[in-house]
Amino acid sequence: MSETSDPKVHLTRSHVRALYQEMLRIRRFEEKCAELYTQEKIRGFLHLYIGEEAIAVGVMQALQPLDAVVATYREHGHALARGIEMGRVMAEMLGRQDGCSRGHGGSMHIFDAATRFYGGNAIVGGGLPLAVGLALADRMQGRPQVTVCFFGEGAVAEGEFHESMNLAALWQLPVLFVCENNLYAMGTALAISESETDIHRKAESYRMPAAAVDGMDVVAVETAARRAVEAIRGGAGPVFLECRTYRFRAHSMFDAQLYRSKDEIEAWKAKCPIEHLRAWALQAGSLHAEDLTAVEADVLAELDAAVAFAEASPWEPVERLLADVMTPEAPS
Amino acid sequence: MSGTSAGGAEITYRDAVREALREVLQQDPRTFLMGEDVGRYGGCYAVSKGLLDEFGPERIRDTPLSEAGFVGAGIGAALGGMRPIVEVMTVNFSMLCLDQILNTAATIRHMSGGQFSVPLVIRMATGAGRQLAAQHSHSLENWYAHIPGIRVVAPATVTDARFMLRTALLDPDPVLIFEHVMLYNMTGSLDPAADPVDIDRAAVRRPGRDVTLITYGGSLWKTLVAATELAGQGIEAEVIDLRSLRPLDDATITASVRRTRRAVIVDEGWRSGSLAAEISARIVEQCFWSLDAPVGRVCSAEVPIPYPKHLEDAALPQTPAIVAAARSVVGR
């Protein structure tokens, strides 16, 4: 996570390597999750972010440690890119006690107080008002923090989206809204669910600065996010980024993908954000083949350790079934 | 109607709620009131009249008609360190923010493995009697009492209206406060010994030996009138004011019913799936061998609340029906 407030992206070797490594961590983590799902070690819903990694990684570069993040049920990438330990995220996937939510939430409900990561919200659109409130609290307490709210393009049909746009713009709150437009709300294409398919224009109608960004290009996302966060921290009110992207995998593990063509999927896979950065970095000389090998080895080592940690983690005892429903009374 | 108990200063229920708000706003800079028409209008039921001048528009925050948006923002602000008091104009409109209350406020603590509590207070008007017809008159607090992860209270006296708010704000979890619309104009005496009040326990508002009448909120006063009538007929009814609808104070209920051996529940909700049904089940589960008669219920008729006075009256629990139900279980 960057400590700098410099809105420019400096593509040093180490930064390019970090961007590449962060995206690869998410990719390999989720490939492993799919494998663990087929082994029935991960159950329930599993929504993979594969193909969209550039957005979480690019945006997180612009944040400082005390900024807040609100994400969706497709949030493994955001959790990892925000800095939650991979072992704790994997333990959550497996429903184990050392999971970042003690295993209570699973894939869709990753929370972490230390990084101000407020979910893991699986009601589409439900996280947006939460982000508005977190930003309101920061503003009312005079803190310089920014709240970043991720959501898919499906959320923009919800009333909570419009209510939140209005409140954030009306009260000029420090929120960065990041719409991850992957073109399909589950299996419903944008064009058959929205009268206005240029999502960022909806935000503009609330008098909020808004732009469309190539969500397959991590540098483009980071650049846009840094500018936006800088402006928001400077008091400019909320900013909206529509990141255009594509989910390479099915919506969840139960999706036969009848609603889109193989050609379309292949065309988007050709824009893979990880391949894209790798090709660019090699050509530009920012990374060498041995760097790539080293990164791959680092990621696989981290992943192996994460899986081992998760599998060794105990189950939450049944005695704790009700323990976190209400806050225990503080000893007086 | 009078909520008089001997001793303290006379005050209306409306003024008691306003004094409670003023006190917490003065004492805790983290508190603020947010909702539709709470500021310039002075509150739909004039509860917050004058507070805008005293505390300013940041802390007496008028909102757009966006129940999901501003309730969700209240949840976010609570997570962000504030102590928001959100006013939802009536429980009927709270259906628009049920998602936020159920899926976010009530679940975040558990979903996050105990990392995040939501210290939020939501106030709502509830109930019928003002000829406001079928979209402004319902008593849906029972639906909220169904939800683990929140507390639900219903102040029926001026003392509870005055002092429950502060206790609710000390609670680390969400507390919903239901204020019956027919109580706002009621005058009563503040109990000088009531500060601070607990919000866990039911209160015996009238002792009696022959039958236990269990009720809450606006129905308390009808039930006390019924108890007076019953006394004239030689039946001494004990009247329990639940005060807390979640959790329910089983101990107070069962102690009374075991003594009187008869119970009638008076509840302005619809009979099917009502709070009265829940209490009835608990009495049967816990006091079956002490009962001398089946548990009685006086609830609202299963009809959207009608506009004309005679039909509205006919739809609601009224004193004659309470008297009749009590006589029926007593067998006299």
Side-chain angles (χ1 to χ4, degrees):
Chain A
M1 218 174 302
S2 174
E3 295 287 334
T4 177
S5 60
D6 184 349
K8 293 197 189 69
V9 180
H10 296 286
L11 290 174
T12 59
R13 273 177 60 84
S14 69
H15 188 59
V16 173
R17 182 182 165 129
L19 292 175
Y20 180 72
Q21 180 152 349
E22 284 303 300
M23 289 196 292
L24 198 67
R25 289 175 77 229
I26 298 169
R27 179 68 58 92
R28 294 289 177 262
F29 176 89
E30 292 208 312
E31 288 166 348
K32 175 59 77 175
C33 287
E35 185 186 320
L36 293 171
Y37 198 88
T38 61
Q39 295 171 14
E40 301 190 353
K41 289 179 177 170
I42 297 174
R43 308 303 301 265
F45 280 140
L46 177 65
H47 305 95
L48 300 179
Y49 192 57
I50 289 175
E52 308 184 28
E53 295 93 338
I55 303 170
V57 171
V59 169
M60 295 305 176
Q61 306 307 313
L63 300 190
Q64 297 197 5
L66 291 176
D67 291 334
V69 178
V70 176
T72 69
Y73 54 86
R74 195 183 300 286
E75 88 288 32
H76 318 141
H78 310 82
L80 294 173
R82 181 57 177 155
I84 308 175
E85 215 177 301
M86 189 184 281
R88 294 181 59 230
V89 180
M90 187 58 90
E92 190 60 35
M93 307 297 296
L94 269 61
R96 303 299 179 102
Q97 197 178 34
D98 294 308
C100 45
S101 306
R102 300 186 71 98
H104 295 187
S107 162
M108 295 190 285
H109 303 303
I110 293 171
F111 288 83
D112 184 52
T115 54
R116 297 195 74 210
F117 194 88
Y118 294 97
N121 295 280
I123 304 295
V124 172
L128 283 101
L130 203 62
V132 168
L134 285 161
L136 178 64
D138 283 335
R139 229 265 309 274
M140 290 183 84
Q141 292 168 103
R143 297 187 298 233
Q145 273 97 50
V146 170
T147 296
V148 177
C149 182
F150 293 92
F151 52 93
E153 89 294 337
V156 308
E158 295 282 0
E160 287 176 322
F161 167 83
H162 295 276
E163 294 184 18
S164 301
M165 290 292 108
N166 184 46
L167 287 171
L170 182 70
W171 294 340
Q172 287 292 287
L173 297 176
V175 187
L176 173 60
F177 291 103
V178 180
C179 177
E180 301 178 311
N181 178 4
N182 67 16
L183 299 174
Y184 292 90
M186 226 166 107
T188 301
L190 186 58
I192 62 170
S193 61
E194 285 296 319
S195 59
E196 172 57 81
T197 55
D198 276 333
I199 304 290
H200 63 283
R201 296 190 62 188
K202 294 175 186 286
E204 281 172 354
S205 77
Y206 291 98
R207 303 190 167 198
M208 195 184 299
V213 182
D214 179 359
M216 309 306 276
D217 179 346
V218 67
V219 176
V221 174
E222 180 181 347
T223 304
R226 281 188 184 277
R227 282 195 193 124
V229 167
E230 185 74 5
I232 295 165
R233 227 186 283 286
V239 175
F240 189 100
L241 295 180
E242 176 194 350
C243 297
R244 291 181 173 163
T245 186
Y246 200 78
R247 125 174 97 62
F248 293 174
R249 299 285 187 110
H251 166 76
S252 72
M253 303 304 276
F254 300 110
D255 170 12
Q257 303 194 68
L258 303 172
Y259 49 84
R260 60 185 194 178
S261 72
K262 288 203 168 61
D263 288 348
E264 181 184 296
I265 297 170
E266 291 310 313
W268 276 94
K269 280 186 175 173
K271 302 178 191 175
C272 171
I274 300 174
E275 295 295 335
H276 181 78
L277 182 68
R278 172 162 40 203
W280 175 85
L282 286 172
Q283 197 187 13
S286 301
L287 293 178
H288 304 301
E290 57 269 30
D291 296 321
L292 301 179
T293 313
V295 167
E296 186 82 39
D298 284 356
V299 168
L300 290 181
E302 184 187 14
L303 183 58
D304 285 348
V307 173
F309 173 81
E311 295 202 303
S313 174
W315 299 103
E316 183 85 317
V318 172
E319 293 69 33
R320 286 201 84 260
L321 177 66
L322 305 179
D324 292 324
V325 176
M326 306 295 280
T327 307
E329 273 180 50
S332 49
Chain B
M1 191 173 359
S2 169
T4 300
S5 58
E10 288 282 311
I11 188 170
T12 65
Y13 187 97
R14 172 183 293 108
D15 290 345
V17 177
R18 186 186 306 119
E19 283 311 303
L21 288 166
R22 177 177 284 132
E23 178 190 52
V24 297
L25 287 160
Q26 283 170 346
Q27 289 182 350
D28 188 343
R30 299 172 302 172
T31 57
F32 66 103
L33 177 68
M34 170 164 66
E36 294 157 354
D37 280 322
V38 298
R40 289 151 188 89
Y41 190 97
C44 178
Y45 293 99
V47 165
S48 51
K49 197 173 171 187
L51 296 182
L52 176 65
D53 290 340
E54 193 173 345
F55 298 101
E58 280 282 301
R59 298 184 70 203
I60 306 295
R61 184 173 287 267
D62 280 320
T63 65
L65 281 70
S66 299
E67 284 82 1
F70 67 75
V71 169
I75 298 166
L79 288 169
M82 299 297 287
R83 292 291 180 275
I85 304 159
V86 176
E87 178 175 312
V88 176
M89 202 176 272
T90 86
V91 69
N92 306 275
F93 311 159
S94 79
M95 297 302 100
L96 296 164
C97 51
L98 182 57
D99 167 52
Q100 285 295 329
I101 297 171
L102 169 61
N103 286 316
T104 308
T107 57
I108 272 197
R109 186 175 162 77
H110 178 261
M111 282 196 301
S112 69
Q115 292 181 83
F116 295 113
S117 299
V118 182
L120 168 71
V121 170
I122 303 175
R123 296 174 40 244
M124 301 186 206
T126 187
R130 292 181 166 227
Q131 289 190 256
L132 299 179
Q135 293 180 338
H136 287 73
S137 300
H138 292 141
S139 289
L140 306 175
E141 49 274 13
N142 171 48
W143 294 5
Y144 291 101
H146 182 62
I147 302 172
I150 61 177
R151 284 176 178 275
V152 180
V153 299
T157 65
V158 293
T159 298
D160 277 348
R162 173 67 183 81
F163 294 111
M164 272 188 171
L165 178 70
R166 191 186 340 166
T167 313
L169 277 166
L170 292 173
D171 200 296
D173 298 312
V175 181
L176 273 56
I177 301 179
F178 285 95
E179 299 162 4
H180 196 287
V181 292
M182 297 306 284
L183 297 180
Y184 286 123
N185 290 333
M186 176 184 80
T187 301
S189 299
L190 283 179
D191 178 352
D195 173 29
V197 295
D198 77 74
I199 56 172
D200 284 337
R201 300 300 302 270
V204 176
R205 298 295 184 195
R206 176 196 171 103
R209 63 173 186 273
D210 296 326
V211 57
T212 301
L213 306 180
I214 301 157
T215 188
Y216 69 92
S219 297
L220 172 65
W221 304 100
K222 294 174 182 174
T223 306
L224 284 167
V225 171
T228 304
E229 276 187 32
L230 287 163
Q233 299 167 23
I235 297 170
E236 289 301 327
E238 181 145 302
V239 176
I240 292 179
D241 171 9
L242 291 170
R243 302 177 71 244
S244 171
L245 309 185
R246 184 182 186 92
L248 284 168
D249 177 7
D250 285 345
T252 298
I253 295 169
T254 55
S256 175
V257 174
R258 288 197 182 109
R259 199 160 25 76
T260 65
R261 310 177 72 87
R262 296 168 176 91
V264 172
I265 305 135
V266 184
D267 173 0
E268 203 177 300
W270 292 300
R271 177 184 301 264
S272 299
S274 58
L275 201 62
E278 172 64 25
I279 294 165
S280 173
R282 290 182 185 218
I283 290 170
V284 171
E285 284 165 351
Q286 298 174 66
C287 308
F288 182 80
W289 303 106
S290 304
L291 288 176
D292 282 346
V295 175
R297 286 193 281 161
V298 183
C299 299
S300 281
E302 309 241 350
V303 58
I305 300 297
Y307 160 66
K309 181 83 177 117
H310 69 294
L311 292 181
E312 183 183 48
D313 285 347
L316 302 175
Q318 302 294 357
T319 300
I322 302 168
V323 170
R327 291 188 57 145
S328 168
V329 300
V330 173
R332 281 188 261 158

